[in-house]
Amino acid sequence: DTSLSYARLKGRENRPELGGSYHNYSYTNQWFALRNVNRWQFSQAHQLFFGFEAKQVSYDFSSRYEEGKTYDGLFAGGFFSYTVYPFHNLSLSGGLRLDYYPFSERIHLSPRFSFDWKLTGRLSVNGSYGTFYQQMSLFLLRQHPDNQRLKDPRAQHMVLGLKYLLGKNIRLTLDVYDKQYRHLPMAPYAPYYYVMDDVSGDDANSGYYGPLTDLG
């Protein structure tokens, strides 16, 4: 399964003031993405998923405080997942994902594991574990050169769930999960503010954060 996509987002803000208004900031974000996923069925008990994806990102930003800047980068990643059915009612999956983030210039290796166990015809239990990385928003990266040297935010997810068929068309699902986040960007002068919420660049709420830390 192969897909090719393009997306473009353009925005600007004009701040109203007495006697008129002035241009506050404008930005344009563009993505070209290519994704390929393959499934190889060895037998009834073994199958392999593998593929790759690449995304070319272009980000232009200008404001009344600074001249226009352009950021371009190519995100690339590859992944595979192997699923085995040791019994007809149990499936086990394990995989790895390799990602390259151009702005921090880092490579990340992320493991994934999951299982699905059908206890009865109606009741099953499932669980999963995974590590996920995310590129900090370009709105925050552009504010200071040192921000590109920060560690990329990371999350570890653990999920345990139950599924029960109440009827032919009704299923009850109960999930318990735990998420642990690391290396979130924080502003030293505003330690109680979650700066990742401000990805829109609304200067009316926050403005300039300057150099950040990755200690959140």
Side-chain angles (χ1 to χ4, degrees):
D1 182 31
T2 302
S3 61
L4 181 66
S5 61
Y6 168 75
R8 184 172 184 263
L9 175 64
K10 185 175 183 178
R12 62 180 294 149
E13 179 184 285
N14 292 319
R15 183 81 58 81
E17 282 193 343
L18 293 177
S21 64
Y22 64 84
H23 171 66
N24 195 32
Y25 69 87
S26 61
Y27 64 92
T28 302
N29 216 338
Q30 298 184 88
W31 306 267
F32 291 91
L34 173 65
R35 178 177 171 85
N36 170 263
V37 182
N38 307 276
R39 175 176 174 267
W40 189 358
Q41 185 83 36
F42 295 99
S43 66
Q44 292 294 327
H46 299 271
Q47 63 182 3
L48 176 67
F49 290 89
F50 61 95
F52 69 90
E53 57 185 359
K55 181 186 294 185
Q56 176 68 39
V57 177
S58 176
Y59 179 74
D60 298 289
F61 186 93
S62 63
S63 72
R64 67 189 184 98
Y65 305 106
E66 58 184 313
E67 297 181 357
K69 294 182 180 180
T70 300
Y71 294 83
D72 292 290
L74 177 64
F75 292 82
F79 53 89
F80 79 90
S81 176
Y82 191 84
T83 302
V84 61
Y85 297 84
F87 307 104
H88 72 280
N89 62 338
L90 176 64
S91 67
L92 303 173
S93 298
L96 287 173
R97 180 180 177 89
L98 184 69
D99 286 292
Y100 171 72
Y101 289 170
F103 300 107
S104 61
E105 297 182 344
R106 287 191 174 91
I107 296 176
H108 299 294
L109 188 63
S110 308
R112 315 283 169 87
F113 304 98
S114 65
F115 75 91
D116 194 310
W117 187 12
K118 295 182 180 180
L119 301 177
T120 68
R122 292 179 176 268
L123 178 64
S124 63
V125 59
N126 57 86
S128 63
Y129 167 84
T131 300
F132 304 85
Y133 289 90
Q134 179 181 351
Q135 176 74 64
M136 193 191 311
S137 71
L138 296 177
F139 169 70
L140 296 175
L141 286 177
R142 70 167 183 84
Q143 292 195 359
H144 197 277
D146 290 343
N147 290 345
Q148 296 192 37
R149 303 188 183 98
L150 300 179
K151 295 180 181 178
D152 295 314
R154 184 189 71 185
Q156 289 180 303
H157 296 190
M158 290 179 287
V159 183
L160 183 63
L162 292 173
K163 292 183 291 186
Y164 186 77
L165 293 177
L166 298 174
K168 184 178 180 180
N169 300 314
I170 302 176
R171 182 173 68 183
L172 176 66
T173 301
L174 174 65
D175 287 318
V176 178
Y177 68 89
D178 178 72
K179 296 183 180 181
Q180 297 289 335
Y181 294 92
R182 296 288 186 273
H183 312 308
L184 298 181
M186 303 293 290
Y189 79 90
Y192 301 105
Y193 187 72
Y194 188 50
V195 299
M196 285 189 71
D197 283 340
D198 193 33
V199 296
S200 65
D202 188 353
D203 291 337
N205 293 331
S206 58
Y208 176 75
Y209 295 112
L212 302 172
T213 69
D214 54 15
L215 303 178

